[in-house]
Structures are given as structure tokens and as C-alpha cells.
Amino acid sequence: MDPTGNPLSPLEQALHAARARVLADLIAGQVAEADVVSLVEDSVVQRRWWVEQWPEGAGFVAGLVAQDVQDALLERHGRWPLCPVCGSGDPHALDVEPELGPDPHWVCHQAGVKVASVGSLQSATGGNPPS
């Protein structure tokens, strides 16, 4: 429901779900600082316009927001999320696949494996969110 008590539109539901999934991954990686959460909000604002123009793309929003935040973090803080699968070699970030499609996953291209769905990194890292 929105603040007026009306049900959320499918567009708003998709945006809220995308925000929640990316925030869950940021929390799992313990990088959900205020400035990083602002990056999520910035992406959601930009993607709102995008999905208003192409409503059929609502199912793709979570992957796009994850990629937007990943790109913004690279510029400001470094690679994210770091691969929890590869124990040796240089630390490297996971990628979102498909780049434009439903059911986005974090993927390690070096190991050639799907690591977790966007929003489920906590299960892949074995970590518990901070209390």
C-alpha cells in the first residue's frame, strides 16, 4: 500500500522489490552505509522512468538496479560484491546475469558458476546480517 492506503501499482511493486533485493545484498556484504543506500535510491528513481517507458521490462528492474549500484560502487568504493567462491587469486567482483532479463543472478565468470540470486547473497556468503 502507498501512504494514502491505495494498493501499489505493478510498477511500484517491481521497484520496491528491486530496492529490497539489492539492499539485502548490500547488507550481506556489510556495505549498506548511508551513501551506498543513496546509490540504490538514485538507481530506483532512474529505473522508474525506464520502466514507465517500457512496462514489460518491470521484471528486469532488480538486475538493472543491482548493475547500477555495482557500477556506482566501483567508481566510489571499489569492486562489489566480491566473489565468495574463489578462495585464491586476485579478488574479483561477481557479475549480474542476464544483463537484461528476469531472474537475475550473481555469477562468477572465473569459476563459471551461479553464486546466488540477486537478493540472496547472504545464503552464498554464509554470513548473518549484522544485528
Side-chain angles (χ1 to χ4, degrees):
M1 299 253 170
D2 70 12
T4 63
N6 295 319
L8 292 177
S9 70
L11 163 89
E12 289 300 319
Q13 289 176 16
L15 291 168
H16 284 288
R19 177 189 292 116
R21 291 173 73 179
V22 174
L23 286 173
D25 287 345
L26 290 166
I27 291 167
Q30 299 182 359
V31 293
E33 303 296 326
D35 63 328
V36 176
V37 172
S38 293
L39 298 174
V40 176
E41 297 305 323
D42 293 346
S43 174
V44 168
V45 168
Q46 293 171 359
R47 294 303 175 176
R48 176 176 283 113
W49 178 88
W50 181 84
V51 81
E52 285 171 348
Q53 306 308 305
W54 189 45
E56 295 83 15
F60 307 162
V61 172
L64 293 170
V65 171
Q67 290 175 60
D68 292 345
V69 171
Q70 185 178 41
D71 290 346
L73 276 172
L74 181 60
E75 294 174 14
R76 295 183 185 190
H77 299 285
R79 292 175 284 207
W80 174 85
L82 292 179
C83 179
V85 175
C86 298
S88 61
D90 290 332
H92 55 277
L94 300 174
D95 295 312
V96 175
E97 284 193 2
E99 288 186 21
L100 182 62
D103 192 27
H105 281 74
W106 293 110
V107 175
C108 172
H109 286 287
Q110 289 188 13
V113 297
K114 285 183 180 179
V115 175
S117 294
V118 168
S120 299
L121 271 179
Q122 179 182 341
S123 64
T125 60
N128 296 315
S131 47

